[in-house]
Amino acid sequence: MASIEVNGRVTEVPDGSSIKEALEALGIEITMFPSDEGHFMPCQMGGCWACAVDVDGELQPACVSTVQSVMRIKTEGSGFAPRRLVSCFMGHHVGGVG
């Protein structure tokens, strides 16, 4: 088990879990469409970075990043600029359009 902190809440999740799975275990809803509720993860393959969270002061895509013990994760209010701005139809390296 890995002990992590998410938005100030300490929890334990199985080793090898993704950050997405840790958020779900804490009851945070994962959404495919923008919403005021939950955490937005449209591609769930790490290509769009829409699900990026602050992990110990660095942005990481929650859908593909693996948890490690003593990690501190913030889902909101990180103050980071977006890694990828998408407008209109733009391809990205995981296929499809953004």
Side-chain angles (χ1 to χ4, degrees), residues 6-7 9 20-31 37-41 75:
V6 178
N7 297 330
R9 288 176 55 193
K20 172 192 172 197
E21 292 167 334
L23 297 178
E24 289 175 317
L26 285 169
I28 297 173
E29 182 183 359
I30 304 304
T31 65
E37 302 292 322
H39 197 78
F40 182 44
M41 291 190 197
T75 60

Side-chain angles (χ1 to χ4, degrees), residues 11-88:
T11 190
E12 288 195 353
V13 295
D15 284 328
S17 297
S18 68
I19 294 174
K20 172 192 172 197
E21 292 167 334
L23 297 178
E24 289 175 317
L26 285 169
I28 297 173
E29 182 183 359
I30 304 304
T31 65
M32 296 289 290
F33 302 100
S35 166
D36 291 338
E37 302 292 322
H39 197 78
F40 182 44
M41 291 190 197
C43 85
Q44 298 192 21
M45 291 187 257
C48 70
W49 282 79
C51 65
V53 293
D54 176 341
V55 177
D56 298 324
E58 252 182 72
L59 274 183
Q60 290 188 22
C63 62
V64 295
S65 298
T66 305
V67 297
Q68 296 175 357
S69 234
V70 302
M71 206 179 235
R72 287 193 176 115
I73 301 166
K74 295 179 189 171
T75 60
E76 295 179 5
S78 66
F80 289 101
R83 285 275 178 114
R84 185 166 190 270
L85 297 175
V86 178
S87 64
C88 202

